[in-house]
Amino acid sequence: MASVKRITNKNGRVVYRIVISMGRTKQGARRVKSLTYSVNQSATRRQQEKEALQYAMEIEDRIKYGHEPGEGEILFEDFAQKWLEHVRGSLACGTYTGYEQLLRAGILPYFKGYKLAQVKMQDIEDFYQMLAARYALGTIRRYANVLNCIFKAAVRREILEENPCRYARKPRLRQSRELRYFTPEQSLMFLKSLDLPLRKVQEDGSAKEYTVSTGYKVFYALSLFCGLRKGETLALNWPDIHFESKEISVTKSIGRTEEGFRSKETKNAASVRKIPFPDIVCLLLEKYRQEYDERKICPGSRQPEEEALFIRRDGRRMGHTTPYQHFTKHLKQYNQWVRDYPQEAFERGLEELPAIPLHGLRHSCATLLNYLDVNIVDISKYLGHASCSTTMNIYAHSFEARKQAAREKLNIFLKDINSGT
């Protein structure tokens, strides 16, 4: 007969320790199988004991007929944590941190007490519905990705026969966070805004001016016309800029590591690339190089590490949040200038710009390239995507618009044929 012992954990959760006798070895040593069973926490103590005894009897019968309980009997939370530690070495530090946060914040609390083999498709869908009341679709997808990875690992190790996430349906939510970017026309306005001496009306009626430094102009131009990710731009060194061929070598990125934000490998193999830059970017880079060299010889300045392209006043590489903060501030000041001086803005052909994130400049680049009829394969290589399908999925809005333009071109072509020209 199996022995069953009630245990109350520090967090107040009740489990039962089950020890089942499996006979003796040839040497006479006693063989036992120990299991931990999580009971229904809302049941009475008597009901919990009955549930644990019933489970112990089922396991004992299975052992009696030669079927030992496998790894499927382990708790979901135990397997999930083991999985996370197993994949840690293959994940970028930021990705690992994100997975860990999703597990700790939502997945483990919800599935606590479940055995791995107990989790069914309906449980997954119920979890998605719970998330739908709190989060946007993008967040739900991130949770779903982690869950799917956990159960795929269980199937691969032959612990489970099927992945319960495979057919689980996500809630039909309207995507609340659409891509925010500049249209081609707005991209030109933004470029012009960088050269404006923006005036801001003070409370006393006076006007204060500010201008964008050449360094920030270069940063934004690389994001807008080369489609670089923020981390890729921050990681650039002067040797990565090839003035003769007018190309930039992207070989690394600044991102989260265990030692903080440091230089690391690019997002994927396709992200290692050479990107051509237009003449306007070349002129900005040449001007910035001259200012950069003059700045290095100033008293008290330190030599920038690895000849970093973007540096702080003390010579250290630019901080990870600095360009975003400056970009957001510039957009606010520019839009305020348009409101304060509407006539001047109208004469310059300028309007208010949408408040987009810094990464929106990369989205704007993809939209601009598509507008200029650059083919999808080249756009994908330009952006450093692993496949063209990634580009299509992210920028479907832009390609849909170009499909309409393609239809009009076909109409003109066919009209010419029908007219005999």
Side-chain angles (χ1 to χ4, degrees):
M1 181 70 181
S3 66
V4 179
K5 182 180 180 181
R6 181 185 177 91
I7 299 173
T8 303
N9 293 331
K10 291 181 179 180
N11 60 4
R13 190 170 190 82
V14 175
V15 296
Y16 280 81
R17 187 68 173 171
I18 301 171
V19 179
I20 301 172
S21 176
M22 299 175 63
R24 295 183 179 275
T25 65
K26 291 181 180 180
Q27 291 76 26
R30 187 178 175 223
R31 294 176 61 230
V32 296
K33 186 73 177 181
S34 299
L35 302 168
T36 299
Y37 180 71
S38 180
V39 292
N40 183 354
Q41 301 299 301
S42 61
T44 64
R45 179 166 182 154
R46 186 171 181 178
Q47 290 171 333
Q48 290 174 341
E49 290 176 351
K50 184 177 179 181
E51 180 185 347
L53 283 170
Q54 181 66 33
Y55 177 74
M57 291 171 61
E58 290 176 359
I59 296 300
E60 197 169 31
D61 285 343
R62 289 173 60 182
I63 293 175
K64 180 180 178 181
Y65 293 102
H67 301 289
E68 291 189 25
E71 288 185 281
E73 299 297 335
I74 68 173
L75 292 174
F76 170 84
E77 57 194 286
D78 293 337
F79 183 82
Q81 290 170 341
K82 289 179 181 177
W83 164 81
L84 184 63
E85 286 305 309
H86 178 73
V87 300
R88 182 172 188 169
S90 61
L91 299 176
C93 184
T95 304
Y96 172 81
T97 302
Y99 283 5
E100 186 181 38
Q101 290 173 347
L102 292 173
L103 278 172
R104 185 175 64 253
I107 295 175
L108 293 184
Y110 187 88
F111 291 101
K112 191 171 183 62
Y114 279 80
K115 294 190 292 293
L116 186 66
Q118 278 184 326
V119 182
K120 304 301 180 185
M121 182 186 72
Q122 187 58 54
D123 299 311
I124 301 294
E125 291 186 348
D126 290 344
F127 177 62
Y128 292 161
Q129 289 296 336
M130 182 275 292
L131 294 175
R134 308 179 187 178
Y135 304 112
L137 185 57
T139 303
I140 296 175
R141 285 174 176 164
R142 287 192 287 275
Y143 273 106
N145 176 58
V146 174
L147 270 177
N148 186 50
C149 289
I150 291 171
F151 284 106
K152 280 178 67 177
V155 172
R156 187 169 59 251
R157 291 179 56 184
E158 298 183 351
I159 298 173
L160 301 179
E161 293 184 5
E162 289 189 355
N163 179 352
C165 296
R166 184 175 181 182
Y167 299 109
R169 294 181 180 179
K170 301 176 187 67
R172 293 182 176 273
L173 295 179
R174 185 177 180 181
Q175 180 59 279
S176 60
R177 291 188 178 181
E178 298 179 353
L179 289 183
R180 289 185 287 166
Y181 59 95
F182 291 147
T183 64
E185 294 78 12
Q186 290 171 337
S187 293
L188 289 178
M189 289 185 194
F190 173 71
L191 195 63
K192 291 180 180 178
S193 77
L194 299 177
D195 290 325
L196 287 174
L198 297 177
R199 299 186 300 278
K200 183 178 180 180
V201 179
Q202 306 295 304
E203 293 182 359
D204 60 1
S206 62
K208 183 179 180 180
E209 286 191 355
Y210 104 96
T211 56
V212 178
S213 68
T214 307
Y216 281 115
K217 289 179 183 179
V218 171
F219 192 104
Y220 301 144
L222 293 178
S223 304
L224 183 58
F225 298 117
C226 298
L228 296 183
R229 301 176 178 94
K230 180 179 70 171
E232 294 171 342
T233 310
L234 285 172
L236 288 175
N237 300 323
W238 279 109
D240 298 322
I241 309 298
H242 310 294
F243 285 98
E244 291 185 3
S245 61
K246 294 182 180 178
E247 288 181 318
I248 297 175
S249 293
V250 179
T251 59
K252 52 197 171 300
S253 179
I254 296 295
R256 187 190 297 275
T257 68
E258 293 181 355
E259 294 78 32
F261 284 95
R262 297 286 189 275
S263 180
K264 63 186 185 75
E265 294 181 351
T266 54
K267 188 172 184 180
N268 52 57
S271 296
V272 177
R273 61 203 190 278
K274 281 190 176 182
I275 307 173
F277 51 81
D279 292 343
I280 188 171
V281 176
C282 186
L283 292 173
L284 279 172
L285 281 166
E286 289 173 346
K287 181 181 179 183
Y288 182 48
R289 177 83 238 200
Q290 182 179 353
E291 294 179 4
Y292 187 97
D293 290 339
E294 293 173 353
R295 181 181 184 179
K296 282 203 299 184
I297 61 176
C298 292
S301 295
R302 60 188 284 185
Q303 291 294 324
E305 303 168 6
E306 303 177 293
E307 287 195 89
L309 194 66
F310 300 103
I311 56 177
R312 312 181 205 198
R313 292 182 179 179
D314 61 0
R316 291 182 299 156
R317 195 180 294 272
M318 181 182 285
H320 192 258
T321 61
T322 303
Y324 171 80
Q325 293 170 348
H326 184 277
F327 177 73
T328 303
K329 179 180 178 182
H330 171 74
L331 278 183
K332 288 182 179 179
Q333 291 182 319
Y334 165 75
N335 285 335
Q336 187 61 51
W337 175 83
V338 172
R339 291 190 291 269
D340 291 342
Y341 303 95
Q343 185 60 36
E344 184 177 348
F346 176 78
E347 291 173 356
R348 291 175 178 266
L350 299 175
E351 300 174 356
E352 286 191 50
L353 292 172
I356 68 171
L358 180 61
H359 195 71
L361 293 180
R362 175 173 159 86
H363 298 324
S364 304
C365 176
T367 303
L368 178 60
L369 292 175
N370 185 50
Y371 173 80
L372 297 173
D373 287 328
V374 178
N375 69 70
I376 180 65
V377 176
D378 289 335
I379 294 177
S380 182
K381 291 180 179 178
Y382 208 84
L383 298 174
H385 285 157
S387 67
C388 293
S389 61
T390 302
T391 313
M392 286 295 296
N393 291 337
I394 296 176
Y395 302 108
H397 66 279
S398 179
F399 296 113
E400 188 65 31
R402 298 312 294 165
K403 284 198 300 186
Q404 303 302 324
R407 180 185 64 184
E408 295 305 317
K409 290 182 180 180
L410 283 172
N411 286 336
I412 295 172
F413 174 74
L414 294 172
K415 182 178 180 181
D416 290 341
I417 289 179
N418 292 332
S419 63
T421 58

